[in-house]
Amino acid sequence: MTDLLDHLRTAVGAEHVLTDDADVAAYVVDWTGVHSGRALAVVRPGSTAEVADVVAACHAAGAAIVPQGGNTGLVGGGVPDSSGGQVVLSLGRMRTVRDVDPVAGTITVDAGVVLADVQAAAAGAGRLFPMSLGSEGSCTIGGNLATNAGGTAVLRYGMTRELVLGLEVVLPDGRVWDGLRALRKDNTGYSLKDLFIGSEGTLGVITGAVLRLFPATPRHATAWVAVPSVDAAVALLGVAQQHAGAHLATFEIANRQALDLVLTHLPGASDPLAGPSDWYVLVELAGASSEDGLDGALEAILGAAVEADLATDAAIAGSPAQRSALWALREGISEAQKVEGATLKHDVTLPIADLAAWASSIGPVLDEVLPGVRPVTYGHVGDGNLHYNLSSPVGRDDDLRAAERDLSTAIYDSVAAGNGSISAEHGLGRTKAVAGASYKSEVEVDLMRAVKAALDPAGLMNPGVLLPPA
Ligand code: FAD
Ligand code: MLT
Ligand code: ZN
């Protein structure tokens, strides 16, 4: 492997090949702290040509590659295994916005550009790049594409996949596929870009992308609404869609446990409502101008909701600062739960009509497995996606760790029985690769393995992630 390291140093510059423990430390443990490994080296190429050189050298040496962007993934897919033989390929130096075309509605970026910087570049051109995640200050477009990320704007704009026009990818043998097309219509064969989107680094290294932009929506009407149940939240979604139509931009849910953690652990957070509620919904309407009548539509939604017993109270943001404070209650949940202690994440989706029944039936099942376990339930209810994240019974993190297999199995079995999915948006990574395959048919797993074998016959791209070993 000395030859490989020498080659990598020549390819990207010795200062961009990290091997000292202190230098690699931040790259080998994930955001949750649950997954950590060892790396042969962390390599930080600065261009697509350098990525190609690095990948070709690893291919020739038989060294496995773990692509990494902002390392905010939640399923352990961006960190190496414990072998010490894998090369972490960080896209962190590839941060150029290559082009913004407001008329065509496109932005072309390097894969290492941070999501918030893509949003800012779009805003600078008077356009909107709608993808929005709690991690947007550190996650990268490459990681968003590789995980087909979701977030809080899916309801109106769709998953990452729907925001992509073209891709540039370094293939596992080091060849470059230039698919950076900005065409809205292109029916010339298999949609190769769709293979790489959501592939979690297992089919190639994404180095660039052409993304779609939308008209800017600088006007907002935002409310934090107390609702009695998930059932009521789902019914309220229907009311909101009826009154706001295409202006409905956000519809997120959180239970009281989630809000309590935010109020406890996030400095400056305060409850906007006088009394407690079991559930809350963050509703936001967004539009281009004051002509859109957002405030009136929000009031109509809330009035109809109270009338129909779907809401008991609401706080409406009266200023940008109040809007930010309401959003912080939602976006702060992951961080607050991490500060609280051990967390067992589940990112599930079911047909939206079945979500409420599922959420009320699963709690007692889990309490049988681990009495006192605390469901911190929140997420993108408008998309049928709940983050059913468990915190330990107070002060008993070891018990949560000991019971995690049984708890996750109970959740996954019930989701599968309800025709749902065990990962709505975070992907399978290392955490769920085995479970993911076990809930798919033999035919589906065979097809996935065939795709993997066709693109990465040597099996060197992020092995053990997304698909379990054969
Ligand atoms: P990384 O964590 O570095 O990598 C993730 C995966 O992508 C790995 O498998 C890695 O190998 C692969 N990869 C990374 N870059 C490339 C590349 N250039 N080419 C090929 N493969 C690559 N996710 C959601 O979907 N919705 C949310 O609402 C959401 N909220 C979050 C909130 C918080 C506070 C945090 C910490 C995370 C959240 N996430 C969410 C998860 C995470 O931010 C996303 O999965 C994000 O898309 C990962 O981007 P990244 O650049 O950090 O990727
Ligand atoms: C979110 O929507 O905040 C994240 O995807 C949830 C998580 O951190 O589990
Ligand atoms: Zn989410």
Side-chain angles (χ1 to χ4, degrees):
M1 288 297 164
T2 317
D3 285 355
L4 174 61
L5 290 176
D6 285 345
H7 189 131
L8 297 178
R9 289 186 184 106
T10 308
V12 303
E15 70 276 29
H16 300 304
V17 179
L18 315 178
T19 51
D20 287 351
D21 285 351
D23 294 337
V24 306
Y27 298 86
V28 297
V29 58
D30 76 342
W31 185 86
T32 65
V34 171
H35 294 277
S36 59
R38 292 167 53 236
L40 178 67
V42 175
V43 186
R44 305 180 77 243
S47 66
T48 301
E50 288 186 7
V51 173
D53 204 348
V54 167
V55 173
C58 290
H59 185 253
I65 293 173
V66 180
Q68 191 182 94
N71 198 12
T72 67
L74 298 174
V75 288
V79 290
D81 65 15
S82 56
S83 67
Q86 299 189 324
V87 172
V88 174
L89 194 161
S90 166
L91 282 294
R93 286 179 60 225
M94 292 183 58
R95 294 197 170 192
T96 303
V97 174
R98 301 186 194 178
D99 181 56
V100 186
D101 185 338
V103 177
T106 60
I107 184 166
T108 307
V109 295
D110 280 357
V113 180
V114 168
L115 172 54
D117 293 340
V118 180
Q119 295 167 343
R127 294 290 180 269
L128 173 75
F129 183 63
M131 193 197 304
S132 178
L133 315 180
S135 54
E136 63 200 21
S138 6
C139 65
T140 62
I141 282 297
N144 303 146
L145 293 160
T147 57
N148 186 28
T152 54
V154 172
L155 182 65
R156 181 154 165 187
Y157 297 98
M159 298 285 279
T160 298
R161 188 182 298 286
E162 290 161 69
L163 306 177
V164 183
L165 293 174
L167 286 187
E168 177 186 82
V169 181
V170 174
L171 302 173
D173 59 6
R175 287 179 299 159
V176 179
W177 173 53
D178 181 354
L180 278 182
R181 299 177 197 118
L183 304 172
R184 303 273 159 167
K185 306 178 91 170
D186 177 14
N187 271 348
T188 54
Y190 302 128
S191 179
L192 296 179
K193 70 178 163 64
D194 282 307
L195 285 179
F196 296 101
I197 298 167
S199 66
E200 301 185 54
T202 62
L203 300 180
V205 182
I206 299 167
T207 50
V210 187
L211 307 167
R212 293 171 63 195
L213 299 180
F214 295 81
T217 56
R219 301 271 173 173
H220 301 102
T222 312
W224 181 259
V225 189
V227 298
S229 61
V230 179
D231 224 356
V234 172
L236 179 56
L237 173 64
V239 173
Q241 284 165 331
Q242 196 185 332
H243 286 275
H247 291 127
L248 181 63
T250 299
F251 199 88
E252 296 282 309
I253 198 168
N255 70 353
R256 180 70 205 186
Q257 180 69 71
L259 179 62
D260 277 341
L261 291 182
V262 172
L263 298 177
T264 304
H265 294 298
L266 286 201
S270 67
D271 191 336
L273 300 176
S277 168
D278 286 347
W279 295 92
Y280 301 91
V281 169
L282 177 68
V283 187
E284 184 162 277
L285 315 187
S289 76
S290 52
E291 316 280 289
D292 287 333
L294 303 182
D295 294 337
L298 184 61
E299 275 165 30
I301 292 165
L302 297 177
V306 171
E307 181 92 348
D309 291 329
L310 300 178
T312 52
D313 200 359
I316 297 177
S319 66
Q322 286 178 7
R323 175 180 176 238
S324 300
L326 297 184
W327 268 97
L329 297 176
R330 162 62 185 93
E331 295 292 26
I333 301 172
S334 299
E335 179 67 32
Q337 194 179 14
K338 187 163 99 159
V339 176
E340 175 76 0
T343 303
L344 185 57
K345 285 185 180 287
H346 303 95
D347 161 38
V348 302
T349 178
L350 285 125
I352 196 159
D354 304 333
L355 211 54
W358 180 83
S360 55
S361 66
I362 192 67
V365 175
L366 301 179
D367 208 60
E368 292 252 308
V369 178
L370 180 61
V373 67
R374 290 175 289 166
V376 179
T377 312
Y378 62 102
H380 320 289
V381 67
D383 311 326
N385 173 196
L386 288 181
H387 297 307
Y388 203 85
N389 294 348
L390 303 176
S391 279
S392 60
V394 178
R396 289 168 48 205
D397 282 0
D398 290 349
D399 291 351
L400 183 75
R401 287 287 160 241
E404 61 184 37
R405 195 189 171 95
D406 291 344
L407 292 165
S408 295
T409 302
I411 290 176
Y412 294 159
D413 283 352
S414 65
V415 165
N419 293 319
S421 166
I422 70 165
S423 175
E425 57 174 20
H426 296 160
L428 296 171
R430 292 187 192 284
T431 325
K432 300 176 191 164
V434 172
S438 74
Y439 290 104
K440 288 184 183 292
S441 70
E442 206 180 316
V443 172
E444 197 166 340
V445 175
D446 278 355
L447 286 171
M448 286 172 61
R449 288 201 188 284
V451 171
K452 170 77 174 167
L455 273 82
D456 181 24
L460 294 176
M461 290 303 309
N462 224 357
V465 166
L466 194 149
L467 277 168

